[in-house]
Amino acid sequence: MKVAEVRHILDTIGDLFPDAHCELNHSNAFELTIAVLLSAQCTDVMVNKVTEVLFQKYKAPLDYISVPLEELEGDIRRIGLYRNKAKHIQSLCSILIEQYGGEVPQAHDLLVTLPGVGRKTANVVVSNAFGVPAIAVDTHVERVAKRLALAGWKDSVLEVEKKLMKAVPREEWTLTHHRLIFFGRYHCKSQTPKCQVCPLLDVCREGKKRMKTAVIRKDKEHMPRN
């Protein structure tokens, strides 16, 4: 894709969502790490409901490992996969205390070694907590990138990330990450994208296909019946 075409996409999405930001509530890098870990296969809305109480009870890594696993599981029970996530949290907190003085490491390659922290989580933490440009590819980012031909239909998550990093100026990585999420979450939804009013319909493979299908369906509905 040409530079001008990418610029058009980025500017258009930017106009739609100029104030896009991380919607996981947190006050420091540690809370953000816990929140992103909890957000896997769960909505940010639900995570924020749980962490509103969780972060009042648990302030530091030591707090999480000072309670029985069953108690922590109960505190995050409304979160999907809560049992595994509770185990990851306690293991992660133990490592932070033993190896990093209770602090979240700033290096990406160290973050991804922590239990429950994958590449996406690490990218979110380094970009939002430490100001390091990064593009975290979640389901929204992946869907939008592929629909707008910023990545291939069969590309892996890592391939999508690499292609976005190549296409988007480095200083815009973090902001673009947030804007793509907002665009995917509130406009270009998985099942009900707003193709009819989308300013990027002209460059969207999925949108053109959906609109063409809608026209064909409408024409059939108006065909005279014998």
Side-chain angles (χ1 to χ4, degrees):
M1 182 175 289
K2 297 179 180 179
V3 174
E5 293 174 328
V6 174
R7 189 71 265 164
H8 169 61
I9 291 173
L10 298 181
D11 290 344
T12 301
I13 294 178
D15 289 340
L16 287 173
F17 300 102
D19 301 318
H21 59 280
C22 177
E23 293 191 295
L24 290 171
N25 296 332
H26 64 281
S27 59
N28 54 55
F30 176 60
E31 288 187 352
L32 178 59
T33 303
I34 298 298
V36 182
L37 187 157
L38 291 173
S39 71
Q41 299 184 40
C42 185
T43 66
D44 287 0
V45 173
M46 177 55 71
V47 173
N48 286 335
K49 288 180 180 179
V50 171
T51 57
E52 182 178 4
V53 177
L54 193 72
F55 291 162
Q56 292 179 4
K57 179 177 180 179
Y58 304 96
K59 302 292 186 181
L62 183 60
D63 298 330
Y64 284 95
I65 64 173
S66 296
V67 300
L69 177 61
E70 293 74 16
E71 183 174 342
L72 179 56
E73 288 178 350
D75 291 331
I76 63 171
R77 187 175 296 274
R78 289 186 290 172
I79 298 287
L81 306 175
Y82 71 92
R83 287 192 175 89
N84 283 335
K85 291 177 181 179
K87 292 178 182 177
H88 286 322
I89 289 173
Q90 287 198 334
S91 297
L92 179 150
C93 289
S94 295
I95 293 175
L96 292 184
I97 293 171
E98 296 168 3
Q99 300 182 23
Y100 302 106
E103 300 293 330
V104 175
Q106 297 188 23
H108 188 280
D109 59 342
L110 296 179
L111 280 167
V112 294
T113 65
L114 298 173
V117 177
R119 186 174 182 84
K120 185 200 77 172
T121 299
N123 282 342
V124 172
V125 173
V126 298
S127 60
N128 289 279
F130 302 125
V132 179
I135 297 179
V137 180
D138 67 355
T139 56
H140 299 297
V141 174
E142 181 181 7
R143 179 174 67 255
V144 171
K146 291 181 176 181
R147 285 179 173 177
L148 296 177
L150 292 168
W153 287 119
K154 296 183 179 180
D155 284 349
S156 66
V157 171
L158 181 57
E159 288 171 332
V160 172
E161 180 185 335
K162 288 181 177 179
K163 287 186 177 180
L164 288 174
M165 290 169 65
K166 183 177 181 180
V168 179
R170 188 174 188 274
E171 64 273 14
E172 297 180 40
W173 285 357
T174 300
L175 182 57
T176 296
H177 155 71
H178 292 311
R179 286 177 172 174
L180 289 175
I181 287 179
F182 268 53
F183 186 72
R185 180 176 290 161
Y186 302 113
H187 184 87
C188 189
K189 300 179 181 181
S190 177
Q191 300 300 322
T192 57
K194 300 178 181 179
C195 300
Q196 299 90 333
V197 296
C198 184
L200 289 174
L201 180 60
D202 60 321
V203 296
C204 180
R205 299 180 291 184
E206 177 72 10
K208 290 178 180 179
K209 179 181 177 182
R210 283 176 175 269
M211 293 303 292
K212 183 177 180 180
T213 301
V215 171
I216 294 174
R217 186 183 301 116
K218 186 175 182 181
D219 288 342
K220 287 184 177 180
E221 290 175 352
H222 289 82
M223 289 179 63
R225 299 179 180 181
N226 295 328

